[in-house]
Amino acid sequence: PHSEAAWEGELLAAGGGGPAPDGGRDGREIAVFSHALAKHLPVLLATRTVRLPGGRDVIIRQHQRRQEERVGTGGVLWEAAIVLADYVGRHAETMAWQGRRVLELGAGTGLVAIALAAEGAEVWATDGNERALDGARRNVEGAGPLRGRVQLEVFDWNSVDDLARIRAAGPWDAVVGSDLVYPGNAGRRCVASNEARHPADETLLWLVAQLAGPETDVVFALKDRTGEVN
């Protein structure tokens, strides 16, 4: 069995949707899909489902009104977080996550924290944006029973008090993070609290030195965004 359909109308240039100034469009037009939009489509989805190496499906809800909600990049599930979550599962035997105390920098939507807790880790998932943490909390709660535990904490990298609190909660067996440095914040003063401190890339290296001990595993996943326009 098969079906067949025909269409008659006109093609519009990419991005040329919407009513014509003279009202001449009749609803039969098709706008050519923009490949630039396709590249960013996952970012625009309300939810994404990620299958972890063990076969567990995790539903991640993304913030749809990031600008209005002042969530920023933390409200989106980026590719590097998916890669890091996959790494956590595929290297569970080598990393021996069960019972280990793991500090996550830039928790975002919570996927990596969920992957770690699914392998039995005790995770402190931190982010500088409280609204992003609200979204991560919903995703963690929606993930169902986990072998480990996720604790969500605010951590402004430029706050002396926050750093002291995170250090006091250590020592950490592992420090992890994904897409912590990208063209929009590397070498730039990217947040209000950064007026008198180093940009994100320098701050990150300094933080690792403060938080990681001689036996701490440090695992970062960063996407190569060389040439991207901010």
Side-chain angles (χ1 to χ4, degrees):
H2 68 279
S3 62
E4 183 176 319
W7 167 82
E8 292 183 0
E10 61 175 312
L11 292 177
L12 304 177
D22 59 1
R25 295 178 188 166
D26 60 9
R28 296 182 300 138
E29 301 85 2
I30 292 180
V32 179
F33 192 74
S34 166
H35 289 283
L37 177 61
K39 187 176 79 167
H40 299 291
L41 183 59
V43 173
L44 305 177
L45 298 177
T47 63
R48 297 180 68 181
T49 300
V50 179
R51 175 158 294 180
L52 300 178
R56 182 180 191 137
D57 286 336
V58 178
I59 297 175
I60 296 295
R61 290 167 176 80
Q62 303 187 102
H63 288 264
Q64 291 300 287
R65 300 192 306 275
R66 294 190 305 280
Q67 205 165 18
E68 298 93 324
E69 297 174 5
R70 302 180 67 82
V71 176
T73 57
V76 173
L77 178 59
W78 300 99
E79 295 96 326
I82 298 174
V83 170
L84 183 54
D86 186 77
Y87 176 93
V88 166
R90 292 187 186 279
H91 294 80
E93 185 174 344
T94 304
M95 299 300 293
W97 297 115
Q98 179 69 44
R100 300 189 78 192
R101 305 188 71 249
V102 181
L103 173 66
E104 182 187 8
L105 303 176
T109 60
L111 175 65
V112 174
I114 292 169
L116 285 162
E119 297 296 339
E122 300 293 316
V123 188
W124 266 45
T126 68
D127 203 285
N129 190 312
E130 292 187 49
R131 287 189 171 90
L133 287 176
D134 288 340
R137 183 173 293 105
R138 287 192 293 271
N139 288 327
V140 170
E141 291 172 351
L146 298 166
R147 290 166 55 198
R149 186 172 63 94
V150 177
Q151 181 168 331
L152 296 157
E153 295 284 341
V154 174
F155 182 16
D156 181 339
W157 292 3
N158 299 295
S159 167
V160 174
D161 292 339
D162 282 2
L163 176 59
R165 177 169 49 85
I166 300 299
R167 289 186 67 180
W172 302 105
D173 297 313
V175 177
V176 305
S178 59
D179 262 349
L180 300 174
V181 178
Y182 50 92
N185 71 359
R188 299 168 183 263
R189 303 192 187 286
C190 58
V191 293
S193 62
N194 209 8
E195 288 300 323
R197 299 296 298 273
H198 296 296
D201 46 353
E202 296 179 25
T203 300
L204 176 59
L205 294 175
W206 181 80
L207 278 178
V208 172
Q210 300 299 310
L211 296 168
E215 304 300 321
T216 304
D217 291 317
V218 178
V219 183
F220 290 155
L222 306 174
K223 180 180 179 180
D224 183 2
R225 289 187 166 88
T226 304
E228 284 192 9
V229 178
N230 298 332

